[in-house]
Amino acid sequence: MASNDHPRRIIRNFIPIQVCKELEFIHKSNCTVGYRPNVFSTTLSHLIATNCAHLIMPFIPIREKLKEKVEEVFDCEYELFIEFTGLISWNEGASIGWHSDDNRSYLEQRDFTAVCYLNSYGQDFSGGMFHFQDGEPTNYLPKAGDLVVYSADNRNIHCVDEINDGERLTLTLWFSRNSSFDEDAKLVSLLTQSILNNESASCIPLPAPSNMYWFSLDQGSDHQQGYDICFARLFILGFNIYTTQGMTCFSEKHILESSDVLMKPLKLVRGDNLYCQEFANLLHALQAVQYYVWKQPALQQSEVTMGTSDIVLLSEEQKEIVHELRSVFLGTKTTFCDSYPAGSSREFHFDWACFSAAIASWKEDTFELHKQLLMHLPFWKDYRSLFSISSLVVEK
């Protein structure tokens, strides 16, 4: 049990690295503008709303494991409800001063916090050290797989240093003793409606309103200098986009109104090469690329081939459209940098054949996750709770 004066504990290697990588894939292919400057977030309700409900399946065993651990550490077995689950990334310039996690009237229901770190200080980002104001331990350097749990009240006032470079990524949960703030009941209701409304059972993502993806650098300005964060994540990985949706020149002040272009079918570009497969929208393309980044090390070791007709050279006219799209939706330096701190590097080997294989694998994995979701949903509806169901129970 944790100390009563400053109830907290750091648990090393709580989440396996492969799970950290899977959650990183989910966040980087779905996140929206967050609650603080230079912060981006992915919530379970957002995944459901954007037709990506199947992506909540990897969270289920982790949420259970975290809840059990928090109840064990703070000696409150069977007393807690999960109030919030989210993936949160802090980018260059993000920070937060001294505070407790229940420091607003609308947050008073929060009793405990669990923060799982999905990447590491010094390797994936610089800055972003975590500090407690009083008690021990005082300072913590984030490391992938580690878990920090603490009470959400003023016994654990804390802060996070400014991120200097890279992207600091966490899975964060808050717990409450008040059942009326149980996240699960709300999620089950959203899931039920989502499945009922999805007559085609398609798992193609449907992007949220464009303002949720637009990172504005000058919020007080009429023309809102900034960039689309989905486009930015593609760009830092070496991709551009091409669309045949009748692109015309956009004036700066109509950027957000023009974002419907990103909701329509488009193709990916790398260098002067155009990948001929069409994606339903920008979010669809981003998920394919992020899946490749996640699975690329394994794909490199397998022998894959693809048809020569799948890749063509861009024409001069197509290059102009690619450039125009980039200037409209990525007209400024992004917050993401290259997602790695200065002085570090990560080799990103790219191969079109591996990429094509990754898309096929991604479709198979998506189908399997959707199948699991459909098997679990009747049980969740009965209990108004999200929990893991063994295959034996499902078969019965």
Side-chain angles (χ1 to χ4, degrees):
M1 183 176 174
S3 161
N4 288 328
D5 293 334
H6 305 285
R8 70 180 67 137
R9 184 178 295 179
I10 295 174
I11 302 162
R12 303 288 184 180
N13 303 312
F14 185 78
I15 295 184
I17 294 300
Q18 62 267 30
V19 175
C20 294
K21 293 296 183 184
E22 183 172 19
L23 295 178
E24 180 180 2
F25 153 69
I26 293 173
H27 178 68
K28 290 186 175 181
S29 59
N30 292 279
C31 71
T32 61
V33 174
Y35 60 98
R36 299 183 62 80
N38 302 329
V39 171
F40 302 94
S41 66
T42 304
T43 65
L44 301 192
S45 58
H46 172 72
L47 291 175
I48 297 169
T50 54
N51 205 37
C52 297
H54 55 281
L55 290 177
I56 73 170
M57 295 307 301
F59 289 88
I60 305 305
I62 302 168
R63 291 167 90 246
E64 289 181 339
K65 186 178 178 182
L66 281 167
K67 183 171 177 290
E68 290 172 0
K69 177 55 67 175
V70 170
E71 289 179 333
E72 173 194 320
V73 168
F74 300 111
D75 195 21
C76 55
E77 280 79 2
Y78 309 113
E79 294 181 17
L80 300 183
F81 301 88
I82 299 174
E83 187 248 8
F84 172 86
T85 305
L87 296 169
I88 302 173
S89 63
W90 297 59
N91 290 263
E92 182 181 357
S95 66
I96 189 168
W98 295 112
H99 70 288
S100 64
D101 286 346
D102 66 350
N103 66 347
R104 298 285 188 274
S105 58
Y106 57 86
L107 303 177
E108 291 177 351
Q109 72 277 1
R110 292 180 174 174
D111 290 301
F112 300 103
T113 304
V115 182
C116 294
Y117 291 88
L118 306 182
N119 58 5
S120 301
Y121 174 90
Q123 180 178 337
D124 303 296
F125 59 89
S126 61
M129 186 186 290
F130 185 99
H131 305 278
F132 285 110
Q133 192 172 60
D134 302 297
E136 293 295 334
T138 303
N139 304 315
Y140 168 71
L141 288 177
K143 182 181 178 183
D146 284 1
L147 169 66
V148 179
V149 294
Y150 52 91
S151 65
D153 55 24
N154 60 13
R155 290 176 294 175
N156 280 304
I157 293 175
H158 57 280
C159 71
V160 176
D161 291 343
E162 183 175 329
I163 307 297
N164 299 323
D165 204 359
E167 185 169 15
R168 177 185 187 268
L169 182 58
T170 66
L171 168 65
T172 300
L173 281 79
W174 280 285
F175 299 87
S176 176
R177 288 189 171 93
N178 188 336
S179 63
S180 63
F181 290 94
D182 181 13
E183 179 184 47
D184 283 22
K186 301 169 190 174
L187 292 174
V188 170
S189 177
L190 290 172
L191 279 167
T192 303
Q193 290 302 313
S194 174
I195 299 299
L196 287 174
N197 294 335
N198 188 4
E199 297 179 359
S200 66
S202 167
C203 292
I204 293 176
L206 302 174
S210 57
N211 64 316
M212 294 183 69
Y213 302 107
W214 187 259
F215 182 84
S216 179
L217 298 178
D218 53 352
Q219 297 180 1
S221 170
D222 290 337
H223 54 264
Q224 288 195 304
Q225 284 275 357
Y227 58 87
D228 183 277
I229 61 175
C230 295
F231 198 128
R233 285 203 182 275
L234 280 176
F235 186 75
I236 62 172
L237 293 170
F239 290 88
N240 279 289
I241 63 171
Y242 170 75
T243 177
T244 57
Q245 297 295 319
M247 281 295 301
T248 57
C249 292
F250 296 109
S251 62
E252 225 174 36
K253 70 177 182 178
H254 292 127
I255 285 175
L256 290 180
E257 290 85 341
S258 305
S259 293
D260 63 341
V261 169
L262 305 180
M263 308 290 185
K264 297 176 180 178
L266 51 81
K267 297 180 180 180
L268 285 170
V269 173
R270 190 172 181 86
D272 290 335
N273 293 318
L274 175 68
Y275 186 58
C276 294
Q277 177 171 326
E278 196 167 62
F279 296 91
N281 50 60
L282 182 63
L283 195 59
H284 192 214
L286 176 61
Q287 288 188 3
V289 170
Q290 292 291 350
Y291 184 89
Y292 172 78
V293 172
W294 173 32
K295 296 293 188 178
Q296 178 255 343
L299 288 168
Q300 259 188 280
Q301 298 173 12
S302 60
E303 292 186 10
V304 291
T305 59
M306 67 184 299
T308 55
S309 61
D310 294 333
I311 306 296
V312 299
L313 286 175
L314 288 170
S315 67
E316 290 304 315
E317 182 180 358
Q318 289 172 328
K319 288 180 182 179
E320 289 180 13
I321 293 176
V322 169
H323 176 75
E324 185 177 19
L325 283 163
R326 185 171 65 246
S327 65
V328 170
F329 299 109
L330 194 67
T332 185
K333 177 181 180 293
T334 73
T335 312
F336 296 120
C337 303
D338 64 351
S339 293
Y340 295 90
S344 72
S345 64
R346 168 183 162 180
E347 293 212 9
F348 180 67
H349 171 81
F350 182 80
D351 179 85
W352 280 115
C354 285
F355 181 69
S356 185
I359 290 177
S361 176
W362 169 50
K363 289 178 180 177
E364 292 175 4
D365 285 358
T366 297
F367 175 79
E368 182 58 33
L369 288 174
H370 186 68
K371 179 182 174 183
Q372 291 178 25
L373 174 64
L374 294 179
M375 288 193 299
H376 280 65
L377 189 55
F379 294 88
W380 292 349
K381 288 168 66 176
D382 287 345
Y383 293 94
R384 295 179 64 79
S385 176
L386 305 182
F387 56 95
S388 299
I389 302 167
S390 70
S391 57
L392 182 61
V393 170
V394 172
E395 288 171 4
K396 288 182 179 179

